[in-house]
Amino acid sequence: DIQMTQSPSSLSASVGDRVTLTCRASQSITSYLNWFQQKPGKAPKLLIFAASSLQSGVPSRFSGSGSGTDFTLTISSLQPEDFATYYCQQTYSTPWTFGQGTKVEIK
Amino acid sequence: EVQLVQSGAEVKKPGESLKISCQGSGYRFTSYWIGWVRQMPGKGLEWMGIIYPGDSDTRYSPSFQGQVTMSADKSISTAYLQWSSLKPSDTAMYYCARLQQPKSLKGKWFDPWGQGTLVTVSS
């Protein structure tokens, strides 16, 4: 199985901060990497697909980059509604695996 | 609007059977794979498998193979996840989601997601 490792596990940041989350795959997954946002009690929401494509309706302050084994999700200016847990997922080979999540909290 | 609506929360006893549902609307249900994802209390997301409602082809994660059964009834645009004998460790939120995999792009992703079905197994 491909292991997905996210870092950090949690972070504290202020509104307006630039935030970068990292996801590393245990082997190359080319660009088969997606990012989801999950708020407490809610279903995950797709933010970025195919490593760098912004899902329709998602604010442009979210961006994704990377290929192969190393990927990043960047929030250019953190907003109050962005405090949530973020998950990466690879769909390169089954079983499709998620990272353990990064919780973004208010400083 | 493309939408997946899941059945309501369930409380069951160990050893009981259960079937939860996920009904799609706003798109051709038979043309898209539906996936299931488990989230245990306070934990992360785990991919369980996918089913193609058009012909009921299924692919299970090895972690869930033999533990659950996925099925679909295309006449009512509904996918199902079922257990024959529940265990307390099956207590979790279960999400369904539609798989997107356009030929024009290298990638596959789940969108949209259902609202989730909470399954509680306790004696």
Side-chain angles (χ1 to χ4, degrees):
Chain A
D1 298 4
I2 297 176
Q3 307 302 316
M4 305 301 293
T5 303
Q6 292 184 240
S7 60
S9 297
S10 65
L11 66 88
S12 294
S14 300
V15 172
D17 283 353
R18 181 182 181 87
V19 171
T20 299
L21 283 57
T22 296
C23 177
R24 175 165 289 176
S26 60
Q27 66 185 73
S28 177
I29 57 171
T30 65
S31 60
Y32 284 75
L33 188 284
N34 310 308
W35 288 98
F36 298 91
Q37 176 194 66
Q38 188 179 34
K39 296 181 179 179
K42 298 294 186 181
K45 172 188 173 184
L46 178 70
L47 297 177
I48 301 288
F49 60 91
S52 60
S53 295
L54 188 68
Q55 171 67 349
S56 175
V58 174
S60 59
R61 62 180 179 272
F62 291 93
S63 63
S65 65
S67 66
T69 60
D70 293 318
F71 301 87
T72 60
L73 174 69
T74 300
I75 309 172
S76 60
S77 178
L78 199 64
Q79 297 302 301
E81 60 268 30
D82 300 337
F83 292 96
T85 300
Y86 294 84
Y87 294 94
C88 62
Q89 183 203 19
Q90 66 83 16
T91 52
Y92 181 76
S93 69
T94 58
W96 296 339
T97 42
F98 291 88
Q100 82 281 11
T102 293
K103 187 173 184 178
V104 177
E105 299 175 302
I106 302 172
K107 181 181 281 185
Chain B
E1 178 195 7
V2 175
Q3 203 172 4
L4 296 175
V5 177
Q6 298 185 231
S7 49
E10 302 273 3
V11 179
K12 292 289 189 178
K13 291 182 171 20
E16 292 186 332
S17 63
L18 176 64
K19 194 174 191 178
I20 63 174
S21 67
C22 169
Q23 184 171 42
S25 62
Y27 72 100
R28 182 174 291 181
F29 187 72
T30 52
S31 298
Y32 292 82
W33 292 81
I34 291 285
W36 290 94
V37 173
R38 182 176 79 175
Q39 187 168 38
M40 299 178 77
K43 302 299 184 182
L45 304 170
E46 300 173 89
W47 177 71
M48 301 176 71
I50 51 175
I51 182 166
Y52 191 73
D55 60 7
S56 290
D57 187 12
T58 54
R59 314 284 167 83
Y60 292 96
S61 165
S63 297
F64 293 93
Q65 179 83 48
Q67 308 304 307
V68 296
T69 301
M70 296 176 192
S71 60
D73 184 340
K74 55 188 178 183
S75 69
I76 54 171
S77 300
T78 300
Y80 300 99
L81 181 66
Q82 68 181 92
W83 295 258
S84 58
S85 181
L86 286 160
K87 302 183 281 287
S89 58
D90 293 316
T91 294
M93 181 71 82
Y94 294 88
Y95 294 102
C96 65
R98 187 182 75 164
L99 183 68
Q100 299 265 52
Q101 47 177 0
K103 294 177 182 176
S104 59
L105 193 62
K106 288 183 71 173
K108 306 171 191 175
W109 55 91
F110 285 127
D111 183 71
W113 293 57
Q115 83 277 18
T117 296
L118 180 62
V119 174
T120 303
V121 184
S122 174
S123 54

